[in-house]
Amino acid sequence: MIGPTGILAFVIIAAALWVAIVYNRFVVMMNRAENGRTQIDIELRRRHDLVPMLVDTVRGYASHERAAFERVAEARSFVSKASSAAGRAAAENALGGAIDSMLLLAEAYPGLKANDRFIRLQEELAGMEDRIGFSRMFYNDVVMKYNTALDTFPEIIVARAFGFEPAPFFDLERGTGRRENGAPPDLFRE
């Protein structure tokens, strides 16, 4: 027969085991979120690397459209200077808008619209935007589960005891190369 000391020892061991399981669950979710954030960053860097090639191609046909090129360069610079998550999202939104306006120039330049390099760059950009969207969706889903677990009783006890903080969502207003309603613009092959 187990005495009061045995029962107390069992309760303490069970509580410690529960704390360890909850703690480890939070760590796993944080690592998944970090992985998702890294995937977003990789795709955003690829987009940033693609921008100069796109600008050069458009500039070959529309060299007098200086304002559009300056807007892209300024937005790209703003992205590299952003330090907070909110600032980064705002910078990425500005860059996306600047790229969108530059891509719309193709409507006024049929030669550009038919240029093989321009078409290939647009297709690459569209694929990147899809991957950014999927990565963002994965990241935000993990963050939602993590933040919900942080605020759920009794997990909130472990979260507060070990200093776990809510993670920010990664929000972009919209992807590049897409109309407001989400449809691809006419300059993409449909």
Side-chain angles (χ1 to χ4, degrees):
M1 177 151 292
I2 299 175
T5 308
I7 293 173
L8 182 60
F10 177 77
V11 169
I12 290 172
I13 291 170
L17 184 60
W18 175 79
V19 167
I21 290 169
V22 171
Y23 177 88
N24 288 338
R25 192 171 124 219
F26 286 143
V27 170
V28 166
M29 284 190 274
M30 284 179 15
N31 288 338
R32 283 186 182 153
E34 184 60 32
N35 179 44
R37 184 63 175 215
T38 300
Q39 294 305 314
I40 294 169
D41 288 342
I42 288 168
E43 292 304 326
L44 290 173
R45 270 188 249 119
R46 285 181 181 159
R47 180 173 80 169
H48 299 166
D49 293 344
L50 184 69
V51 169
M53 291 185 285
L54 192 60
V55 167
D56 288 343
T57 302
V58 173
R59 185 177 284 140
Y61 286 84
S63 60
H64 62 282
E65 301 283 357
R66 182 167 290 148
F69 303 129
E70 288 173 0
R71 185 172 172 218
V72 170
E74 182 180 305
R76 198 163 176 247
S77 171
F78 183 46
V79 167
S80 66
K81 295 176 185 173
S83 58
S84 69
R88 177 100 187 270
E92 291 294 346
N93 286 327
L95 180 60
I99 293 171
D100 280 348
S101 65
M102 187 181 60
L103 289 174
L104 290 175
L105 290 175
E107 293 299 318
Y109 300 93
L112 174 61
K113 196 173 176 181
N115 180 288
D116 288 337
R117 182 174 185 213
F118 182 71
I119 291 169
R120 184 178 43 80
L121 290 171
Q122 281 185 301
E123 289 171 352
E124 278 185 55
L125 186 61
M128 278 179 212
E129 292 303 327
D130 288 342
R131 289 188 302 273
I132 290 168
F134 292 134
S135 296
R136 197 180 89 229
M137 197 167 53
F138 170 80
Y139 170 81
N140 285 339
D141 184 55
V142 172
V143 166
M144 180 202 56
K145 290 175 183 173
Y146 170 74
N147 288 345
T148 300
L150 288 179
D151 292 335
T152 304
F153 184 82
E155 285 88 350
I156 194 170
I157 297 167
V158 175
R160 288 192 178 160
F162 289 99
F164 287 100
E165 296 288 326
F169 288 97
F170 190 90
D171 295 319
L172 293 177
E173 290 175 8
R174 62 190 176 106
T176 319
R178 304 280 180 183
R179 291 187 187 141
E180 291 295 327
N181 64 4
D186 296 333
L187 37 123
F188 283 85
R189 292 184 184 184
E190 294 182 295

